[in-house]
């Protein structure tokens, strides 16, 4: 669903700074989530994603800058009632059954979903009578998702929602999130799974060291690094690979190397000339994962422009 720019933002962080312990967790962060948008907030460990979520959900206050939820104060209970939240660290009481737990949270809302619909949307059919303490990690995540959607939220905040889920459960949750978006809910999603961001989000915001380093559609983010990914097995070391023509980054996954390049033909000519044992070679457009890795490594926007040019 496309965003309506004239409406009050669902969530807003403007020039927000927040110190946590000795760390500057957020350092002038700007983030706007508009009605109907699904925004994926990406970034490496410690980038400031959970801190941003904690501010939007009213669990932390900013040191400076402005945080707004539906145009109001996120600490205001009535405002927060329009939001459904699935956090990383929420524990469930061990003795309540799944049905009792979800029903308890439904009772906090004036016009909740029916219990059966909530359980079905969260993929909890068959587990209703199981005690929460006897659920697997992935099943507990599904109960937390049920709690988040029980009140038909206008804004759904999902902090790493599919951690611990198997492939079927992840896909089930994705289709439930898509149904919420189709109903008109805005979504803020943090995830380390780039396929998840690509499957759900119409906008990607990459943050690092508490600042936004990229913001756009998945396609725009990919094109920002204007790179092609060459993957192969090679006996060349990282220093040799980095020195190949037009290579902008080198990374390894198991025995396979990924080279990002601004000219596949120029890089390939040199690569094949230096290593005739090259194997398992593929050339493809940069994936979202390649692009985000590259943007984070490149550091500040000024450095990024220099490196990509
Ligand atoms: N309670 C805390 N006390 C001190 N420092 C904290 C606390 N919580 C977070 N931090 C620090 O603030 C920074 C931002 O953390 P945050 O949890 O927001 O990052 P994140 O992007 O969500 O990371 P991850 O992907 O690992 O969940 C990190 O350097 C972290 O160590």
């Amino acid at each position: 669903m496309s965003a309506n720019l004239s409406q009050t933002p669902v969530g807003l962080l403007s020039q927000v700074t927040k110190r946590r312990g000795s760390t500057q967790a957020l350092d002038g962060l700007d983030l706007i989530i508009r009605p109907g948008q699904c925004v994926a907030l990406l970034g490496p460990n410690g980038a400031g994603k959970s801190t941003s979520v904690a501010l939007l959900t009213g669990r932390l206050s900013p040191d400076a800058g402005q945080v707004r939820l539906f145009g109001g104060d996120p600490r205001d209970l009535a405002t927060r009632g329009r939001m459904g939240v699935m956090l990383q660290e929420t524990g469930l009481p061990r003795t309540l059954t799944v049905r009792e737990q979800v029903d308890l949270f439904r009772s906090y809302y004036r016009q909740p979903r029916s219990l059966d619909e909530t359980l079905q949307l969260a993929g909890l059919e068959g587990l209703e009578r199981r005690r929460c303490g006897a659920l697997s990690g992935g099943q507990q995540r599904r109960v937390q998702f049920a709690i988040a959607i029980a009140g038909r939220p206008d804004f759904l905040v999902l902090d790493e929602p599919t951690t611990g889920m198997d492939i079927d459960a992840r896909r089930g949750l994705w289709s439930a999130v898509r149904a919420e978006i189709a109903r008109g809910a805005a979504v803020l999603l943090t995830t380390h799974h780039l396929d998840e961001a690509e499957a759900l989000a119409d906008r990607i915001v990459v943050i690092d060291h508490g600042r936004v380093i990229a913001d756009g559609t998945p396609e725009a983010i990919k094109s920002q690094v204007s790179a092609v990914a060459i993957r192969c097995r090679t006996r060349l070391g990282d220093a040799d690979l980095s020195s190949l023509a037009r290579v902008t980054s080198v990374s390894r996954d198991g025995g396979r190397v990924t080279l990002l390049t601004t000219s596949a033909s120029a890089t390939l000519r040199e690569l094949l000339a230096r290593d005739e044992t090259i194997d398992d070679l593929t050339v493809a457009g940069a994936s979202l994962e390649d692009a985000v890795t590259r943007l984070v490594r490149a550091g500040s926007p000024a450095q990024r422009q220099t490196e990509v040019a």
Side-chain angles (χ1 to χ4, degrees):
M1 186 173 289
S2 63
N4 187 336
L5 299 182
S6 66
Q7 285 178 294
T8 306
V10 170
L12 171 109
L13 280 85
S14 173
Q15 283 298 299
V16 169
T17 61
K18 180 70 189 174
R19 222 178 158 73
R20 304 194 74 180
S22 58
T23 310
Q24 192 65 44
L26 298 184
D27 185 17
L29 190 91
D30 288 310
L31 177 67
I32 297 183
I33 300 114
R34 299 197 182 273
Q37 274 191 333
C38 178
V39 177
L41 192 59
L42 308 181
N45 289 133
K49 302 179 297 293
S50 297
T51 302
S52 305
V53 167
L55 286 157
L56 271 175
T57 52
R59 290 175 297 121
L60 288 178
S61 300
D63 297 337
Q66 201 188 27
V67 182
R68 285 281 173 271
L69 183 63
F70 301 106
D73 189 333
R75 286 165 302 182
D76 181 67
L77 266 187
T79 310
R80 285 226 303 257
R82 295 177 62 190
M83 176 187 237
V85 182
M86 181 177 175
L87 298 175
Q88 285 180 51
E89 68 271 21
T90 321
L92 296 168
R94 299 180 62 79
T95 50
L96 287 187
T97 66
V98 167
R99 200 178 174 83
E100 287 164 346
Q101 174 71 8
V102 176
D103 206 22
L104 174 67
F105 272 83
R106 283 180 65 251
S107 70
Y108 298 153
Y109 296 99
R110 250 186 252 151
Q111 292 182 310
R113 281 201 150 101
S114 77
L115 182 56
D116 286 344
E117 185 192 5
T118 310
L119 293 168
Q120 184 249 320
L121 284 171
L124 288 167
E125 286 164 318
L127 292 172
E128 297 95 328
R129 289 175 209 294
R130 183 88 58 90
R131 291 197 193 284
C132 291
L135 296 174
S136 71
Q139 290 165 341
Q140 288 189 24
R141 294 303 277 155
R142 283 190 254 168
V143 174
Q144 286 158 354
F145 181 73
I147 290 168
I149 60 166
R152 292 180 200 278
D154 295 321
F155 184 22
L156 188 55
V157 176
L158 305 172
D159 199 3
E160 300 193 22
T162 57
T163 305
M165 285 189 183
D166 64 25
I167 290 170
D168 283 347
R170 285 182 79 203
R171 291 194 187 281
L173 186 125
W174 291 359
S175 67
V177 173
R178 285 197 194 100
E180 289 299 284
I181 296 167
R183 184 177 61 75
V187 177
L188 177 67
L189 164 80
T190 76
T191 182
H192 286 289
H193 299 292
L194 282 294
D195 58 337
E196 185 159 291
E198 205 156 16
L200 295 175
D202 47 31
R203 202 175 121 219
I204 306 274
V205 177
V206 186
I207 66 172
D208 193 20
H209 294 103
R211 299 180 74 94
V212 173
I213 60 167
D215 185 345
T217 62
E219 286 313 312
I221 298 285
K222 280 189 260 183
S223 68
Q224 206 169 327
V225 296
S226 61
V228 175
I230 298 173
R231 294 181 221 278
C232 64
R233 289 178 196 280
T234 172
R235 63 183 183 197
L236 296 178
D238 286 2
D240 284 337
L241 293 168
S242 302
S243 71
L244 295 174
R246 310 291 284 273
V247 166
T248 55
S249 113
V250 177
S251 57
R252 288 181 186 268
D253 181 10
R256 242 175 149 215
V257 165
T258 297
L259 305 176
L260 292 188
T261 169
T262 53
S263 169
S265 50
T267 304
L268 275 174
R269 270 195 295 273
E270 287 194 5
L271 178 63
L272 295 168
R274 284 207 218 167
D275 181 5
E276 69 285 0
T277 68
I278 291 284
D279 192 19
D280 209 2
L281 175 72
T282 58
V283 180
S287 66
L288 184 60
E289 184 159 355
D290 294 329
V292 170
T293 307
R294 170 96 185 83
L295 288 167
V296 169
R297 280 200 191 147
S300 71
Q303 275 174 303
R304 193 160 67 242
Q305 276 168 6
T306 317
E307 289 195 20
V308 171

